Amino acid sequence: MFSFELDKEQKMIRNSYAELVKKLVADTIHDQDEAGALDPKTIQKAWELGVSVSAVPEACGGMGMPDSPMQSAICLEELAYGDASFAIAVTTPSLFISPLLRYGTEAQKNACLPPVCGETYVPATLAMCEPDLAFDAASPKCRAEKKNGAYILSGVKCFVPKAKDAKYILVAASTDQGPQLFIVSADNPGLKVGDREKTLGLYALDMYRVTLENCKVSAADKLGGDNGCDYADVLARSRVGLAAVAAGISRASFEFARDYAKKREQFGAPIGTKQSVAFMVAEMAYEADAIRLMCWKAASMLEAGKPAVREAYLARMYAGEMAMKIGDYGVQVLGGHGYIRDYPQERYYRNARGIAILEGVATV
Amino acid sequence: METVVLVKRVPDTETLVRIAPDAKGILLDGARMVMNPYDEIALEEALRLRDIHGGAVCALSAGGEKTVETLRTALAMGADKAVLLTGLESGSADSLTLARAIAAFLRSLPFDLVLAGARAVDDDGYQVGPMVAEFLGIPQLTFAVRVLVEGGAVTCHRAVDGETVVARAALPALVTAHKGLNQPRFASVVGIMKAQKKPVETVTLAGLALPEGKARVETRSVRLAPERAGGLIIQGETPEEKAKVLVRALADAGAL
């Protein structure tokens, strides 16, 4: 039977992440966002919950459980309900671990997974976005030329989360066989991590511009070796991840606006009793649910081993558009309070704006 | 070291409390139920002690089918096994009945330490832990903010009026955990998955040799605390002016 009901484990996992957000994130995230830095101790605590490594074989430091895009989507939503920067930072290693798990050769998994799958949070990331007006994630401008049995990468990447501290960066580059991913170590002399990006939202998440100049990687560092990887699938998983983040921001924005509209009185009655406000809140409610349903559909198809390129694309596109609308309405319901930084609505609004822009910052 | 942790399923403290139509209790349908936060602290301490001294941690709770969820949470946090005592109809059991039942069961179990929350956030009785210790005839150290187990004894710190009382008791003993003892862990994904495979044993009260004894406490009625009246904000341009208004208000209230 077709069901939207989460199973027992999924509910417990959701509750555990929700508890962590409630106890460790909710009260402090405003200051972390203002300061432009996340508390490393909280990231470590969230890392220990283990969604990023649950599917990693035990020999590589993980838990050896089946890969579950649904589980990842549930966790990402809960983390993003607290804060999108926090959600993305905590799961940034997944951007590296997840494609490696699916497509890495045994040698790649054995070499690269253990250092980033331990008990301590060690960032590894994915460089997908490019600072190009006509950027299309499906055909990166960054090139990988094969030369004397190695690859020379050249190009510029932007919005690469945690690049400065990353042990490995998975770089998306075009090859003669289409776009592929390359494992680049932090100490590669051809890799330059530039300044931190100054962004409209996600203040607390450090993202960087990364330049690849004559960056030589061995043929063995092409993800999947000779077989390469299914780049469209990696992209799809990233898009489902982004949709899950959007679901979290949207739910947070909706709930805050709903509670505010019930309490805030104007002209002798709560503003929520005015249709102009109530309609906005209702729209936020159903769009937030719609984002989640589209996200879960794509995630459950991936979980069933079916290709979900189309569903992932639609989920992310819808999520990007609706998260903006929800964020906008959230600010509007609060009026002046929505515009000042003392209330979380403007943060939701700023962070939601990034969903439609960013690629490769979250994955399931 | 064998440790038993008493855990209780309670409504989340953020749940909006609704009084039942017969005013004898509160309505729990739809309320989010969680493990009593003080019991989480007790469980965390048990897990910490197990990591140091080895042995196993058993989570014990009494209640209906739904209580298994709370025990699963304990297992997901790291408890090795769980026991559910059934047969105590909710509402009919007071702390005394419950403590008798728990003690009767614990007599059948080898243990070195029993840990419990200092209080449960639903009815704030503070009683079950100490009563269990009494029935078992073992020492009890309550409101622990620090616990050390060494050489067959347990030492606990308890904060009293800004001072610390350090008390020591030979094992087996019962300790109740207070805020500040530790920060309970969150159940991890792998812990949750493993918890589904760990055993939850169900024990019915009928099978225990329970001493005779009826509940001594009867709930007559439950009502919400009256809403607090709004405070008085003293208005005035200058401190002197405000002080005058305040003095007048105090006098009017008969406080001067």
Side-chain angles (χ1 to χ4, degrees), chain A residues 8-10 12-13 15-17 19-24 45 48-51 54 63 65-66 71 75, chain B residues 12-14 32 34 37 40 69 72-74 76 183-196:
Chain A
K8 250 193 269 172
E9 290 91 342
Q10 287 168 332
M12 281 179 82
I13 290 168
N15 286 347
S16 199
Y17 276 82
E19 278 295 298
L20 178 128
V21 163
K22 192 167 100 180
K23 288 183 181 156
L24 303 182
K45 286 259 180 210
E48 285 166 13
L49 264 58
V51 69
S54 64
M63 317 297 181
M65 297 191 308
Q71 197 177 82
C75 297
Chain B
D12 188 352
T13 46
E14 284 174 17
R32 206 174 92 86
V34 297
E40 279 185 347
E69 281 175 26
R72 289 265 174 235
T73 303
Q183 188 161 42
R185 69 193 65 188
F186 300 96
S188 70
V189 173
V190 68
I192 290 165
M193 304 304 274
K194 279 185 182 163
Q196 312 306 320

Side-chain angles (χ1 to χ4, degrees), chain B residues 155-231:
Chain B
T155 306
C156 292
H157 290 213
R158 174 193 205 176
V160 180
D161 285 339
E163 301 294 330
T164 303
V165 173
V166 181
R168 189 178 143 94
L171 295 177
L174 181 141
V175 171
T176 70
H178 201 35
K179 243 185 220 170
L181 175 59
N182 57 45
Q183 188 161 42
R185 69 193 65 188
F186 300 96
S188 70
V189 173
V190 68
I192 290 165
M193 304 304 274
K194 279 185 182 163
Q196 312 306 320
K197 295 192 184 83
K198 290 182 186 171
V200 176
E201 189 190 339
T202 302
V203 175
T204 54
L205 284 187
L208 297 173
L210 267 189
E212 285 299 311
K214 288 220 156 68
R216 301 274 184 89
V217 177
E218 176 200 353
T219 303
R220 292 277 178 84
S221 75
V222 175
R223 60 176 181 270
L224 292 174
E227 260 190 55
R228 245 200 257 178

Side-chain angles (χ1 to χ4, degrees), chain A residues 115-186:
Chain A
V116 297
C117 295
E119 284 177 10
T120 309
Y121 173 82
V122 176
T125 188
L126 172 70
M128 192 175 266
C129 257
E130 295 180 352
D132 188 294
L133 274 179
F135 169 66
D136 173 8
S139 51
K141 289 266 165 66
C142 180
R143 287 286 306 167
E145 301 288 349
K146 200 161 187 184
K147 217 171 169 181
N148 303 331
Y151 284 93
I152 309 293
L153 306 182
S154 48
V156 182
K157 297 287 179 180
C158 61
F159 303 134
V160 184
K162 314 270 349 144
K164 202 174 168 193
D165 303 319
K167 189 160 178 61
Y168 302 107
I169 301 182
L170 207 50
V171 175
S174 290
T175 69
D176 296 340
Q177 309 147 302
Q180 287 294 313
L181 295 166
F182 295 85
I183 303 166
V184 181
S185 290

Side-chain angles (χ1 to χ4, degrees), chain A residues 18-65:
Chain A
E19 278 295 298
L20 178 128
V21 163
K22 192 167 100 180
K23 288 183 181 156
L24 303 182
V25 180
D27 293 342
T28 57
I29 195 61
H30 173 79
D31 292 344
Q32 295 180 59
D33 193 62
E34 289 287 311
L38 292 163
D39 171 31
K41 279 190 200 146
T42 315
I43 292 186
Q44 174 61 31
K45 286 259 180 210
W47 172 254
E48 285 166 13
L49 264 58
V51 69
S52 294
V53 297
S54 64
V56 174
E58 286 181 42
C60 293
M63 317 297 181
M65 297 191 308

